[in-house]
């Protein structure tokens, strides 16, 4: 971080605290039950996303560009919720709300990287649906596993670099007064507002990043579905149009679940009460990763077929092993 620690070529001493204090909810008693609720959602998320990743890995018929993106979405959900929830449980249920400075910045980096990647992954899935429906004859040429991997890799690089820049700019700040973060994790906006020196670059980042990471992806997704709807109304009859739209239901459900609380939080920004911000961001971090596997299992025909096939193979192998063990006796 030396690049960020020298301002305009001059040696400047930054006052960095040994730790921050994560405050959590303000003025609300008995909120430990809420964090226990988040923990149960996390357990369901771990089981569900691990199952989806295993199904896609085991079934060679799912080695398609769409399921490359679905696999990455499950991986991001698993990584993001695992970076957040265990630490939140440690902070609030075991009263370890004093977190070292470097640990706090690392915590922020992983949380924001995964939160950004969830948004970009929905863009990748939207692009897949757009090409599949608008250019069905060219889909296998335009969208390949390699191109989808390249797209997702570029999104990962962008998300990581963006998070590193945000963290790097935080290291230029001095903290002379309060060290209490009014959030449930090391929240970028809450941290830079505690600084006692010029935090204008951090303020710009705080305004610019939501546009780049949340608003623009949402605009792309909405425009893609408007174009899909317009094309289907124009060229398709009723039944084929409905059938094509059904392939988008799972993705649209994920978009609504993910973006709604984020838009509320980042639209209101400083106007939103810290308690409401905590609820919105925590549910965005935990609820979509928990619901995504359920939505894809219930609404995606290929995954349901794959699950049935894998279960049949599993039970046949169990019966075969049972019979062979009986014959050995």
């Amino acid at each position: 971080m030396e690049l960020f620690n020298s301002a305009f070529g001059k040696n400047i001493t930054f006052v960095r605290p040994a730790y921050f204090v994560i405050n959590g909810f303000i003025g609300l008693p008995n909120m430990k039950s809420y964090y226990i609720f988040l923990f149960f959602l996390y357990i369901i998320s771990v089981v569900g996303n691990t199952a989806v990743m295993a199904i896609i890995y085991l079934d060679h018929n799912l080695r398609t560009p769409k399921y490359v993106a679905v696999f990455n979405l499950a991986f991001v959900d698993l990584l993001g919720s695992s970076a957040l929830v265990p630490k939140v449980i440690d902070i609030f249920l075991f009263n370890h709300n004093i977190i070292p400075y470097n640990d706090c910045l690392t915590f922020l980096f992983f949380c924001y990287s995964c939160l950004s990647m969830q948004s970009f992954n929905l863009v990748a899935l939207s692009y897949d649906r757009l090409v599949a429906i608008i250019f069905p004859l060219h889909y296998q040429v335009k969208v390949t596993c390699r191109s989808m991997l390249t797209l997702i890799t570029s999104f990962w690089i962008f998300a990581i670099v963006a998070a590193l820049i945000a963290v790097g700019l935080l290291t230029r700040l001095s903290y002379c007064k309060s060290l209490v973060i009014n959030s449930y994790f090391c929240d970028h906006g809450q941290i830079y507002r505690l600084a006692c020196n010029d935090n204008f670059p951090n303020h710009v980042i705080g305004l610019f990043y939501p546009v780049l990471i949340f608003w623009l992806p949402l605009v792309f997704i909405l425009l893609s579905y408007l174009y899909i709807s317009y094309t289907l109304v124009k060229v398709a009859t009723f039944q084929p149009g409905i059938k094509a739209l059904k392939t988008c239901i799972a993705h649209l459900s994920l978009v609504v679940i993910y973006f709604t609380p984020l838009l509320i939080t980042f639209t209101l920004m400083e106007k939103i009460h810290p308690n409401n911000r905590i609820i919105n961001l925590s549910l965005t971090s935990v609820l979509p990763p928990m619901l995504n596997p359920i939505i894809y299992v219930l609404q995606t025909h290929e995954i349901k077929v794959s699950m049935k096939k894998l279960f049949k193979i599993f039970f046949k192998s169990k019966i075969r092993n049972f019979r062979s063990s009986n014959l050995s006796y």
Side-chain angles (χ1 to χ4, degrees):
M1 294 294 181
E2 291 301 320
L3 177 64
F4 296 97
N5 295 342
S6 60
F8 305 106
K10 299 178 181 179
N11 291 326
I12 297 176
T13 301
F14 297 100
V15 180
R16 293 173 185 160
Y19 60 86
F20 286 108
V21 179
I22 309 293
N23 198 35
F25 287 101
I26 301 172
L28 294 178
N30 303 319
M31 288 310 298
K32 287 188 176 182
S33 57
Y34 179 74
Y35 297 113
I36 294 173
F37 168 70
L38 291 182
F39 179 71
F40 280 112
L41 294 185
Y42 167 68
I43 295 300
I44 298 171
S45 170
V46 169
V47 174
N49 285 296
T50 303
V52 168
M53 292 168 65
I55 290 169
I56 295 173
Y57 177 77
L58 293 172
D59 191 346
H60 292 275
N61 294 324
L62 297 180
R63 305 286 176 86
T64 63
K66 175 184 176 181
Y67 288 103
V68 169
V70 173
F71 184 94
N72 186 67
L73 180 64
F75 173 73
V76 171
D77 287 342
L78 184 61
L79 180 63
S81 55
S82 296
L84 176 71
V85 178
K87 187 63 179 177
V88 168
I89 296 301
D90 181 58
I91 290 171
F92 296 106
L93 293 188
F94 298 98
N95 299 319
H96 296 154
N97 62 329
I98 296 176
I99 180 169
Y101 176 83
N102 289 332
D103 291 355
C104 191
L105 296 187
T106 303
F107 189 21
L108 183 153
F109 168 77
F110 280 104
C111 289
Y112 272 78
S113 295
C114 293
L115 198 63
S116 302
M117 267 310 299
Q118 287 176 317
S119 175
F120 293 145
N121 217 110
L122 293 175
V123 170
L125 286 167
S126 177
Y127 169 72
D128 175 84
R129 290 299 85 205
L130 178 67
V131 177
I133 294 174
I134 303 301
F135 307 105
L137 299 179
H138 302 283
Y139 175 76
Q140 292 184 346
V141 177
K142 291 178 177 290
V143 183
T144 63
C145 288
R146 184 173 182 176
S147 65
M148 183 60 74
L149 281 171
T150 302
L151 180 63
I152 289 173
T153 301
S154 65
F155 282 150
W156 267 112
I157 293 171
F158 184 83
I160 290 171
V161 170
L164 283 174
I165 291 173
V167 171
L169 288 174
L170 286 177
T171 65
R172 297 171 56 89
L173 300 179
S174 295
Y175 302 89
C176 315
K177 298 177 182 179
S178 175
L179 300 177
V180 178
I181 300 173
N182 291 320
S183 186
Y184 70 108
F185 77 116
C186 293
D187 192 338
H188 175 265
Q190 300 299 318
I191 292 176
Y192 82 74
R193 292 187 183 95
L194 297 176
C196 55
N197 62 335
D198 180 26
N199 64 4
F200 180 73
N202 306 85
H203 181 67
V204 172
I205 289 292
L207 293 175
F208 180 64
Y209 274 22
V211 174
L212 193 63
I213 294 172
F214 303 122
W215 284 103
L216 288 181
L218 179 60
V219 168
F220 175 84
I221 292 168
L222 293 178
L223 289 177
S224 67
Y225 275 108
L226 284 174
Y227 187 45
I228 288 172
S229 301
Y230 171 76
T231 303
L232 291 177
V233 169
K234 188 176 179 181
V235 303
T237 56
F238 181 76
Q239 288 298 334
I242 293 297
K243 186 177 180 180
L245 284 175
K246 281 184 177 179
T247 65
C248 305
I249 291 176
H251 180 249
L252 284 171
S253 302
L254 304 186
V255 170
V256 172
I257 293 168
Y258 175 78
F259 279 104
T260 300
L262 278 179
L263 291 178
I264 294 172
T265 300
F266 289 106
T267 301
L268 297 177
M269 298 294 284
E270 297 178 14
K271 297 178 182 178
I272 191 170
H273 191 275
N275 289 344
N276 295 332
R277 181 183 176 85
I278 289 173
I279 292 173
N280 281 342
L281 286 179
S282 61
L283 289 179
T284 301
S285 301
V286 179
L287 198 59
M290 187 270 290
L291 291 176
N292 289 353
I294 298 173
I295 289 171
Y296 266 102
V297 168
L298 293 179
Q299 296 187 2
T300 307
H301 176 70
E302 295 93 341
I303 288 187
K304 286 191 284 188
V305 171
S306 179
M307 285 181 64
K308 290 178 182 178
K309 183 171 68 175
L310 290 173
F311 276 127
K312 284 182 181 179
I313 294 172
F314 175 76
F315 284 119
K316 283 181 180 179
S317 64
K318 284 288 185 182
I319 292 171
R320 193 179 301 112
N321 291 336
F322 177 75
R323 287 176 178 174
S324 61
S325 63
N326 284 341
L327 289 174
S328 64
Y329 285 107

